[in-house]
Structures are given as C-alpha cells and as structure tokens.
Amino acid sequence: LATVRSFRLELAIARTMLVSLFAGWLAGVMISFALPATFSFDRVVVVAFGLLGVLVLLDRRMSRTAIIAITIAVGVAQGLGAMLSIREQPVGWIWLTGSFTSLAVIATLLAALVVAARAPWMRIAVRAVGSWLAAVSVLMLGWALRSVSTLT
C-alpha cells in the first residue's frame, strides 16, 4: 500500500487489501484443519512477514494483482499460524476470535495511517517500519532455525 501514489487508488486498494487479508486469514484457519496437529508453520510465517517488510522497505510500485496476491498470502500465513498455535487449547475459539479482532484492528489502523501519509517524512517512517519488520523477521528466522542441541 505504501507503494501506491494516487490517493483514490490508495483508498480502493486499501479496502480491497483489508477484505483480501481477512479472506486469506479465514482460508488459513480452514486449511489448518486439514493439517496434522504436529505440523509447524512458524518458519513460513516469519519468512512471509519478512518478505512483506522488504517490499515496504523497497517502496516500489506494484500492480494491483500482485498487491492482492501478497495480501492473501500473508492472510493465509497469519491464519495458519494462529490456528496451529491455539488448536490444542481448551478455549481455542475464544483465542481465535481475539486473534481475528486484533488483526482487523491493527490492519485497519495501519492501512489508514499509510493512506493518510502525505508528507515525505511519513513515507520514510513507513519504510523504516518495513525495515524493522524485515529485521525482526530475520532475527526470528534465525531463532527458529537454531539447533536444538545448543540448548543442552
């Protein structure tokens, strides 16, 4: 979203992105029911968010189709990650509802902030957030890939 220049186009893409994100999240939750309980999706979620951070950092123009595809992929990754992590909990549906609500609030607020970013320093701030997202993802990927034998 930070790579789109026209305000009207930004609003249209922001709305479509939010719907796509929520639809992808719901699809990820549904896909998780078909996966075994021992399936771990943590590394894929970290890589997905890292790539998203790199895309925001680069601040390149993207086609509407590419933006929607990436948004759906991130939504699916988030839905899978949320459901696989709370599947064993006795009150998993309450946690799942909270996960969806927090995703909806945060995504809507971030989309509104990015669409409203008109000053050059605001665009730089959005790119800085993207770089932090990419950096944290690299850190988390390294943590996920560490050897279990180093803990003993």
Side-chain angles (χ1 to χ4, degrees):
L1 187 60
T3 63
V4 181
R5 304 289 186 239
S6 167
F7 183 69
R8 287 185 185 199
L9 188 58
E10 283 180 1
L11 287 176
I13 289 178
R15 288 184 199 114
T16 308
M17 283 179 64
L18 288 174
V19 171
S20 301
L21 182 67
F22 302 146
W25 186 88
L26 184 60
V29 168
M30 294 302 146
I31 291 169
S32 71
F33 287 114
L35 299 174
T38 58
F39 185 77
S40 177
F41 198 69
D42 297 338
R43 294 177 187 151
V44 178
V45 172
V46 169
V47 169
F49 281 100
L51 291 176
L52 183 64
V54 169
L55 288 173
V56 172
L57 169 67
L58 293 176
D59 195 24
R60 300 281 183 230
R61 268 187 196 254
M62 296 175 59
S63 69
R64 186 180 186 128
T65 306
I67 291 172
I68 300 306
I70 291 169
T71 305
I72 290 172
V74 169
V76 168
Q78 177 64 25
L80 273 169
M83 192 60 195
L84 291 174
S85 64
I86 64 172
R87 170 186 320 204
E88 299 86 25
Q89 303 297 326
V91 289
W93 287 104
I94 294 173
W95 288 15
L96 192 62
T97 304
S99 175
F100 179 78
T101 304
S102 64
L103 174 71
V105 169
I106 291 171
T108 304
L109 289 175
L110 286 176
L113 285 173
V114 171
V115 167
R118 292 283 162 240
W121 67 268
M122 290 179 166
R123 294 190 63 78
I124 293 171
V126 169
R127 290 180 68 193
V129 169
S131 70
W132 275 95
L133 182 60
V136 168
S137 297
V138 169
L139 177 69
M140 294 303 296
L141 184 62
W143 184 260
L145 294 175
R146 77 187 188 293
S147 173
V148 177
S149 63
T150 59
L151 297 176
T152 57

